[in-house]
Amino acid sequence: MKMQNLFVWMLMVPLIFASCSKEEINEAEDLNGQQETREFTEEELASMRVCKDVYPEGVTPRAAAVSSKVWQNGQTLKVKFIGGSQYVRNKVMQYANEWSDYANITFQFVTSGTADIRVSFMSGQGSYSYIGTDANLISQNSETMNFGWFDSNTSDSEFSRTTIHEFGHALGLIHEHQHPEVTIPWDKPAVYAYYAGPPNYWSQSQVDNNLFATYSTWETQFSDYDPQSIMHYAVDNSLTIGNFSVGWNTILSNTDKQFIGELYPF
């Protein structure tokens, strides 16, 4: 999963949120100037539920080395929940631990005290995670990861997709579509228009940072580009030029497993 991943691109920008409601989402005004609402299918919602990039404040852009974002190999990372039902917590633990099957990293879930990763469930705030050891720069009173749409009605595929993705970030992985050796034929006007609407309401600069910006090969460690990576956004054909699309990846790909094992070897 070409997760060139490891280098954290430190941008001095405000936190970018990608959030959506599980029920009704207002669409853009129709030709009559009326706000139209409808219920979206689970597949449509999945394509909208994208995580945002978050970075600690006060850092220099592109200043970090790859190694500075990776935890010590063999380390036990304490993970503390902030809120969330026991059902939702159990699902997060279940899918987060899939990384440990292939990486020499252990997650220890705790209910009190200090923790390396603090997981909140703030509705409407989107899903996000700091990259790797950047979590150490965040106050113990604040979350380092959030799941903004998990509840008792969330499907297992959505728990899998989002939990594994965010914990991938927590282990030091970046978005696959920002791989240094891939050129996605984005239809930029269509992408700007899509993400400017609900539920994301992103500015052009936020779209640039989250989708179009790529990492240089000298900045990152990476394997071959992998469109099946759990770290890849879904890319709808309508947002690209020609015939390019990426589906909703919900499980670790073979490349994901291989790469994380090389990053945290047993």
Side-chain angles (χ1 to χ4, degrees):
M1 114 216 95
K2 12 4 32 302
M3 304 189 256
Q4 35 193 158
N5 306 117
L6 292 172
F7 167 73
V8 183
W9 189 16
M10 318 295 248
L11 296 174
M12 296 181 66
V13 298
L15 296 185
I16 302 170
F17 291 87
S19 62
C20 70
S21 166
K22 291 196 59 176
E23 291 76 39
E24 291 186 340
I25 301 177
N26 290 329
E27 293 185 317
E29 290 188 358
D30 62 21
L31 296 178
N32 295 320
Q34 300 296 318
Q35 278 288 339
E36 178 185 358
T37 62
R38 69 177 175 87
E39 289 193 358
F40 286 76
T41 66
E42 187 65 26
E43 187 174 74
E44 287 175 316
L45 285 175
S47 69
M48 297 174 180
R49 293 172 184 160
V50 294
C51 77
K52 71 174 185 297
D53 290 340
V54 292
Y55 309 94
E57 296 180 358
V59 297
T60 302
R62 297 178 178 269
V66 171
S67 60
S68 69
K69 304 306 171 186
V70 181
W71 303 93
Q72 181 179 349
N73 192 44
Q75 185 171 351
T76 295
L77 299 178
K78 289 187 176 181
V79 182
K80 182 169 64 176
F81 290 118
I82 305 172
S85 68
Q86 191 58 53
Y87 173 79
V88 168
R89 291 183 177 192
N90 288 342
K91 287 294 184 181
V92 170
M93 288 188 283
Q94 173 187 341
Y95 289 108
N97 279 326
E98 292 199 12
W99 284 111
S100 297
D101 291 338
Y102 307 96
N104 190 14
I105 285 289
T106 300
F107 295 120
Q108 178 185 356
F109 296 91
V110 300
T111 57
S112 61
T114 61
D116 303 292
I117 300 170
R118 283 86 65 191
V119 181
S120 60
F121 299 90
M122 295 181 290
S123 178
Q125 298 300 307
S127 289
Y128 53 87
S129 174
Y130 285 92
I131 308 294
T133 56
D134 275 352
N136 289 331
L137 304 177
I138 308 304
S139 168
Q140 282 288 323
N141 296 324
S142 298
E143 83 287 351
T144 64
M145 182 184 297
N146 187 67
F147 295 108
W149 50 76
F150 284 176
D151 60 27
S152 60
N153 295 316
T154 300
S155 67
D156 273 87
S157 63
E158 182 63 17
F159 275 123
S160 175
R161 182 182 79 91
T162 306
T163 300
I164 299 175
H165 181 103
E166 298 305 343
F167 272 85
H169 284 316
L171 290 178
L173 307 184
I174 62 173
H175 284 133
E176 186 64 12
H177 55 273
Q178 294 178 300
H179 189 285
E181 293 188 349
V182 63
T183 301
I184 296 176
W186 295 108
D187 182 342
K188 289 191 174 183
V191 176
Y192 286 135
Y194 178 83
Y195 282 99
N200 301 289
Y201 300 107
W202 282 356
S203 66
Q204 286 196 11
S205 64
Q206 289 171 329
V207 173
D208 290 340
N209 293 334
N210 282 276
L211 283 91
F212 301 152
T214 58
Y215 292 75
S216 300
T217 56
W218 56 267
E219 294 174 315
T220 63
Q221 293 178 3
F222 60 94
S223 56
D224 293 337
Y225 168 67
D226 178 17
Q228 295 182 321
S229 172
I230 193 67
M231 302 308 296
H232 207 305
Y233 276 10
V235 178
D236 191 87
N237 189 262
S238 65
L239 300 181
T240 63
I241 298 171
N243 188 28
F244 182 98
S245 64
V246 175
W248 293 272
N249 300 329
T250 61
I251 60 175
L252 289 168
S253 71
N254 289 334
T255 308
D256 287 336
K257 296 172 184 177
Q258 178 182 352
F259 182 81
I260 203 68
E262 293 173 354
L263 185 59
Y264 296 100
F266 287 99

